[in-house]
Amino acid sequence: LTRSSTALGSALSSFATAYNAAVDEVAGQRGQSGGALQGNPVVFDLSNILGQIGTYNAQANSVNSLASIGLTLGSDGHLTYDATGLLSADLTDSGAVNSFLGSATGGGFLQVATNGLTTALDPTAGDLPSTTTAIQNQITSMNTTISTKQAQIAQLQTQLTNQMATADSLIASMQQQYTYLSGMFQAMQTAD
């Protein structure tokens, strides 16, 4: 009598899909056309976490790698799931599969994955929440700086408008004086 590997196989397939999406998202933050986290150290940290999860190995077990249960890590960093790997390992030694997988708190692959996700997502000390807070603080600081600069520009614009009005008034006054003096000179020349 053997157990059904369907639920575990479905979970591993879903894990591979989610893992690959995470790898692609992290990769999209690198390079000249990188995303919003380009150059941020969190990209390196997340890449390391994914690397630890994707290359997990157990020493003391006949099922000792993700490849042993049908998850193969490709050169592109993506996991590929092959159900025959899991079926073979499960038929040969289902206890070894259980031991390799472990639990979220009791060792094995699931504990490594859980610890990695906690490092990335923990609300108080996780990489992503900390980075989100830091970026929000930067945005707030930039918005404050923009508001301050806009107020300075508005004040400068008002000062320049007032100075131009004063200059226009002085020019008009000088034109009146010129017209008056010019008229006097013409009258004097006519009188001579």
Side-chain angles (χ1 to χ4, degrees):
L1 187 66
T2 60
R3 68 178 174 173
S4 170
S5 299
T6 306
L8 180 56
S10 177
L12 290 176
S13 178
S14 295
F15 168 74
T17 300
Y19 180 89
N20 294 340
V23 166
D24 290 341
E25 196 60 42
V26 169
Q29 303 303 314
R30 291 191 175 106
Q32 288 182 330
S33 59
L37 296 176
Q38 178 186 10
N40 193 306
V42 75
V43 174
F44 178 75
D45 294 342
L46 293 173
S47 187
N48 280 341
I49 291 167
L50 289 170
Q52 289 171 3
I53 293 171
T55 60
Y56 175 74
N57 285 307
Q59 275 76 33
N61 201 336
S62 62
V63 175
N64 59 6
S65 69
L66 290 175
S68 301
I69 58 170
L71 287 169
T72 307
L73 185 64
S75 60
D76 61 354
H78 288 157
L79 286 174
T80 304
Y81 175 65
D82 178 12
T84 58
L86 174 62
L87 289 174
S88 174
D90 208 22
L91 285 174
T92 304
D93 191 353
S94 63
V97 172
N98 290 342
S99 179
F100 173 80
L101 291 174
S103 69
T105 57
F109 172 73
L110 292 175
Q111 184 173 17
V112 168
T114 300
N115 290 347
L117 291 174
T118 300
T119 299
L121 301 173
D122 182 70
T124 55
D127 289 342
L128 290 175
S130 297
T131 301
T132 300
T133 300
I135 290 172
Q136 286 172 339
N137 290 341
Q138 288 174 349
I139 290 170
T140 300
S141 175
M142 281 190 236
N143 286 341
T144 301
T145 301
I146 288 169
S147 294
T148 301
K149 296 297 180 188
Q150 285 176 333
Q152 289 173 346
I153 289 170
Q155 183 181 15
L156 181 61
Q157 185 178 15
T158 301
Q159 287 174 346
L160 289 174
T161 300
N162 290 341
Q163 288 174 350
M164 291 300 288
T166 302
D168 285 346
S169 174
L170 287 173
I171 289 171
S173 172
M174 289 173 70
Q175 284 177 337
Q176 286 177 348
Q177 289 175 0
Y178 171 78
T179 302
Y180 175 74
L181 290 174
S182 175
M184 284 184 65
F185 283 127
Q186 284 179 354
M188 286 171 55
Q189 283 178 346
T190 304
D192 282 340

